Amino acid sequence: MAQWTIILFSCFGLLHGQESQLPTLQECCQDGRTRGQGGQDCTILPLISSSHTCRIAQEQCCAAVVLDKLCDNGIKLGRSQGACERPLFEGEPWETEISKMCCDCCMLGLMAASRGSGCELQGSLSLGRQCDHTAKACCGKNTEEGTPNHILLKMCKYVNECLKGSHNCIFGQICINTEGSFRCQREISCGTGYELRDNNSCQDIDECTLGTHNCGTDFLCSNTAGSFRCHPKERCTDGFIQDAAGSCIDINECLAHSNPCLPGHVCINTIGSYSCRRNTVTCGRGYHLTEDGTRCEDIDECRTGNVCGDHGCVNLLGSFRCECRAGFIFNSITKHCEDINECRYYPGRLCGHKCENTEGSYHCSCSTGFKLSHDGRNCDDVNECEANPCSQECANVYGSYQCYCRRGYQLSDIDGITCEGAVTTRRSPLYGPVDCRFLMSYFLKMSNHFFSLVFADIDECAAGSHTCSVSESCFNTQGGHRCLSFQCPPNFRQAAQGSRHDSSASMRCLKSCQPNDVGCALDPVHLITHTVLSLPTFRDFSGPEEIVFLRTVVAANPVLFSGATDVLFELVSTDEQYSFNVVKRSSHGMILGVVQQVKPIVGPKDIKLEVAMNYVKSGNISHRNVVIIHIFISEFWF
């Protein structure tokens, strides 16, 4: 047996927090050897102690036993067979590698002994310690056993044909030495279902005789070359076949056989059999019988009549199809060309505002306040201010217009067009008690009017005393002025200035998308309007002050009928104190948006409000107009 040297590093002492006596290293080693002899895996041994040194002793002593057994197998095979081929060994690759190494080293020792060259091989060959030790063991033992019979050895010399190469094994076979001879064995196994015989041939294994098959109780085992078959014990009658479970199922002879019936007959399957019936020619729709009545041929519907009207006709096998003109689509069920309702199939993509379907086409129209553009699809804004609808000042907005008044006047709540004097007198009754609150209010109004007459504002823009550049617009405020310059955002262009009624400080930006810009086309914002407003500091703020009116041309209906348009006003941005809001009203049957100041503001202060006018149709926003109001609040109250 090969000898292995095991170096054990030990340490002594008690583990921290452990009072019981630890096992000795000899006990740990003996436990490992016992488990190795029992065939346990040396890398996952159960620990008998928490000591790291004990675990090492267990594992190394277990491994030594395993290595000794593997090496002994190699030595035994080398002595008995005289061959050390890997297929002769069993086990994992690393196990067969160790056994083959010891077998080869033993063969070196045996050969040295047979030649009488001595057993000291380490001096002439650079062998490892394990190989040198194994070779010496085989050489010395062979010499000791052979010493008493040295005369017999001289007369009958041992010959290993496998080592000398004097065998006649062919490619794919390995040489195995025997006493006085040798034998050739297949290097590759016979395969599944076969076994290797002593004469080096492969013989079929009869699984049925050996009982190694897996046929059920309702099946019979039938041996085949290299395998076996299971056959049901029950036999089916003609017209039936057994399935995998052994049940008899009907055979469809009409599908299992090609042309089981004579020409002109049709096959009909029955339970356990089939029957043939003479075929009666029946043509389907789009076909008719030939003159001899033996077959069906296609009907050319395009020649039988005007089936497609003024549209094109294409004959098909058993049918036809109409090539419809533009604006029509073929209905495969009714076989007619039907008008395409482009307004329904492509909503919102054909016309800017309204779409009206026509026979084979469509027509676009615009809402009030708009006119049809040159392309016949989009709608351009109508500048209502050119018709002078306001009594004083007019500002055109997208789809409508807005009237506002000069200083000292206010817009009429009745028609929203006429400007009235902002200061009105009110007589108290000559007789009766005097309303002190009315007198105080009247006095304040008159004092405000007096101060406004005494301290008149200077219009720097009209006088030309402003400091604005050529590219800026001058806007007069109470007690000063502002130099303004507005820019349109990307995908928008500045609209041309209208008539003299448009404020020079205002600006409109129309959407102008680049070709194939899908994101711009899907953006609902169509118009952005910049407008300016000058307000005083309201001295006695008692409630909401209406400062801006956003008129529309959309009818204000209490209950919106299907497809009608509604306008929703939304205050997108305001000051930090939320001093403004926007409410929805109706004026002259149309929707009106009113921007209100709901909290007092002490000037001077500049505020920018952004109001969105959302045009809603069928629950969806068709387009959106944004009005940006720049408010300049003066520090003066007059």
Side-chain angles (χ1 to χ4, degrees):
M1 177 182 296
Q3 301 296 319
W4 298 88
T5 303
I6 303 175
I7 303 176
L8 300 177
F9 296 94
S10 61
C11 58
F12 301 93
L14 294 175
L15 292 175
H16 179 67
Q18 185 175 353
E19 298 179 359
S20 60
Q21 183 66 33
L22 296 175
T24 63
L25 289 180
Q26 289 75 15
E27 293 173 341
C28 296
C29 180
Q30 184 58 41
D31 180 80
R33 293 185 62 85
T34 302
R35 296 182 186 277
Q37 292 171 354
Q40 294 190 27
D41 189 348
C42 297
T43 60
I44 52 173
L45 296 176
L47 301 179
I48 63 174
S49 172
S50 60
S51 171
H52 182 67
T53 306
C54 182
R55 182 187 63 79
I56 294 175
Q58 272 185 288
E59 184 174 335
Q60 294 302 324
C61 291
C62 176
V65 171
V66 174
L67 294 176
D68 286 346
K69 292 171 64 177
L70 294 173
C71 194
D72 287 345
N73 293 337
I75 293 175
K76 290 178 181 179
L77 187 64
R79 289 181 178 277
S80 62
Q81 301 292 340
C84 300
E85 298 299 329
R86 290 284 287 271
L88 300 177
F89 300 100
E90 297 181 354
E92 299 293 330
W94 67 272
E95 296 175 329
T96 61
E97 182 178 357
I98 295 174
S99 299
K100 184 178 182 306
M101 183 271 293
C102 291
C103 180
D104 290 338
C105 295
C106 182
M107 293 294 295
L108 290 175
L110 292 174
M111 185 173 293
S114 65
R115 295 178 178 177
S117 58
C119 297
E120 294 297 330
L121 301 178
Q122 187 64 24
S124 58
L125 300 176
S126 297
L127 302 174
R129 286 181 294 178
Q130 178 61 35
C131 184
D132 180 64
H133 185 84
T134 304
K136 286 182 178 180
C138 291
C139 176
K141 187 174 182 181
N142 189 66
T143 303
E144 293 171 1
E145 291 177 351
T147 301
N149 301 311
H150 60 278
I151 298 176
L152 182 61
L153 286 173
K154 290 182 180 180
M155 295 177 60
C156 303
K157 188 176 182 179
Y158 172 77
V159 177
N160 189 329
E161 295 87 353
C162 297
L163 292 179
K164 296 183 64 177
S166 58
H167 60 82
N168 59 354
C169 298
I170 61 175
F171 179 77
Q173 297 178 337
I174 58 175
C175 176
I176 299 177
N177 187 60
T178 61
E179 186 175 357
S181 182
F182 66 93
R183 64 185 177 90
C184 299
Q185 180 172 308
R186 288 170 56 96
E187 188 175 2
I188 302 175
S189 63
C190 293
T192 305
Y194 294 89
E195 63 180 351
L196 185 65
R197 305 287 293 174
D198 293 336
N199 59 358
N200 211 30
S201 63
C202 293
Q203 181 177 343
D204 173 59
I205 299 175
D206 191 345
E207 294 85 357
C208 299
T209 302
L210 297 177
T212 57
H213 60 85
N214 57 357
C215 298
T217 56
D218 295 333
F219 292 83
L220 297 175
C221 177
S222 175
N223 186 63
T224 61
S227 185
F228 60 93
R229 293 290 184 270
C230 298
H231 301 284
K233 294 180 180 179
E234 181 184 356
R235 297 297 179 182
C236 297
T237 59
D238 294 338
F240 293 89
I241 190 174
Q242 285 181 323
D243 59 9
S247 302
C248 294
I249 59 175
D250 174 56
I251 299 175
N252 190 338
E253 293 83 359
C254 298
L255 298 178
H257 306 288
S258 60
N259 302 324
C261 298
L262 296 174
H265 292 73
V266 63
C267 178
I268 300 175
N269 184 61
T270 59
I271 301 299
S273 183
Y274 68 96
S275 63
C276 297
R277 186 178 62 186
R278 181 177 295 277
N279 187 19
T280 302
V281 179
T282 303
C283 298
R285 178 179 297 180
Y287 295 88
H288 61 80
L289 277 173
T290 58
E291 293 182 359
D292 57 5
T294 58
R295 60 186 181 88
C296 298
E297 66 178 5
D298 174 57
I299 300 174
D300 190 349
E301 294 85 357
C302 297
R303 295 180 179 271
T304 59
N306 192 14
V307 292
C308 294
D310 56 351
H311 301 277
C313 180
V314 178
N315 184 58
L316 303 174
L317 286 177
S319 182
F320 69 96
R321 176 171 53 85
C322 294
E323 291 287 348
C324 303
R325 294 184 288 106
F328 294 85
I329 189 172
F330 181 68
N331 189 326
S332 59
I333 299 176
T334 63
K335 302 294 183 181
H336 290 96
C337 289
E338 299 177 352
D339 173 56
I340 298 176
N341 190 337
E342 293 86 357
C343 300
R344 180 182 300 172
Y345 288 162
Y346 313 104
R349 288 190 289 173
L350 297 177
C351 300
H353 283 191
K354 300 177 182 178
C355 180
E356 180 183 355
N357 185 60
T358 60
E359 185 73 13
S361 185
Y362 63 95
H363 173 71
C364 296
S365 60
C366 300
S367 303
T368 306
F370 297 90
K371 61 183 178 180
L372 200 62
S373 61
H374 296 294
D375 60 6
R377 296 176 57 183
N378 296 305
C379 295
D380 295 334
D381 176 49
V382 175
N383 191 346
E384 294 87 353
C385 293
E386 294 179 353
N388 299 328
C390 303
S391 63
Q392 288 188 4
E393 300 295 335
C394 176
N396 185 55
V397 296
Y398 190 72
S400 184
Y401 64 96
Q402 174 189 342
C403 296
Y404 62 96
C405 303
R406 302 187 188 96
R407 181 177 179 80
Y409 295 86
Q410 64 182 12
L411 200 63
S412 171
D413 292 337
I414 299 176
D415 58 7
I417 296 176
T418 307
C419 292
E420 301 173 344
V423 179
T424 59
T425 59
R426 182 173 181 181
R427 297 178 180 271
S428 61
L430 296 176
Y431 304 99
V434 178
D435 191 338
C436 296
R437 289 177 298 177
F438 168 75
L439 291 178
M440 181 60 68
S441 174
Y442 178 75
F443 172 76
L444 290 175
K445 289 183 178 180
M446 292 304 296
S447 62
N448 291 345
H449 179 60
F450 171 76
F451 277 104
S452 65
L453 294 177
V454 175
F455 301 100
D457 175 59
I458 299 175
D459 190 343
E460 294 86 353
C461 299
S465 59
H466 60 81
T467 58
C468 300
S469 63
V470 179
S471 61
E472 295 176 323
S473 299
C474 178
F475 178 74
N476 184 63
T477 62
Q478 293 177 261
H481 68 282
R482 293 288 190 278
C483 296
L484 306 176
S485 178
F486 301 125
Q487 299 292 331
C488 291
N491 295 325
F492 285 84
R493 61 176 176 84
Q494 182 177 352
Q497 291 290 346
S499 66
R500 59 181 179 83
H501 300 281
D502 287 335
S503 175
S504 60
S506 300
M507 185 180 68
R508 290 187 302 152
C509 300
L510 300 176
K511 185 162 81 169
S512 179
C513 298
Q514 298 295 325
N516 302 322
D517 190 344
V518 180
C520 176
L522 296 177
D523 187 0
V525 179
H526 284 189
L527 175 68
I528 300 175
T529 302
H530 288 271
T531 186
V532 292
L533 182 64
S534 177
L535 294 177
T537 297
F538 293 109
R539 186 174 183 180
D540 297 309
F541 187 88
S542 59
E545 292 284 347
E546 298 177 349
I547 59 175
V548 176
F549 297 89
L550 303 176
R551 294 187 178 276
T552 70
V553 292
V554 178
N557 299 320
V559 179
L560 294 176
F561 56 86
S562 177
T565 301
D566 190 15
V567 181
L568 302 179
F569 299 91
E570 178 185 2
L571 193 62
V572 179
S573 65
T574 180
D575 61 336
E576 297 178 354
Q577 283 73 32
Y578 297 94
S579 306
F580 301 88
N581 71 353
V582 58
V583 295
K584 178 181 177 182
R585 294 181 187 171
S586 62
S587 176
H588 297 83
M590 301 297 176
I591 296 177
L592 175 70
V594 181
V595 180
Q596 299 177 332
Q597 179 182 337
V598 296
K599 292 182 181 179
I601 303 175
V602 179
K605 197 166 189 179
D606 296 351
I607 300 175
K608 184 175 76 171
L609 300 182
E610 186 173 343
V611 182
M613 303 171 63
N614 299 311
Y615 289 79
V616 181
K617 187 174 183 180
S618 300
N620 298 317
I621 298 178
S622 61
H623 66 278
R624 175 182 298 148
N625 297 338
V626 177
V627 181
I628 301 175
I629 308 171
H630 303 268
I631 302 176
F632 306 110
I633 299 179
S634 171
E635 59 182 315
F636 305 107
W637 49 269
F638 51 86

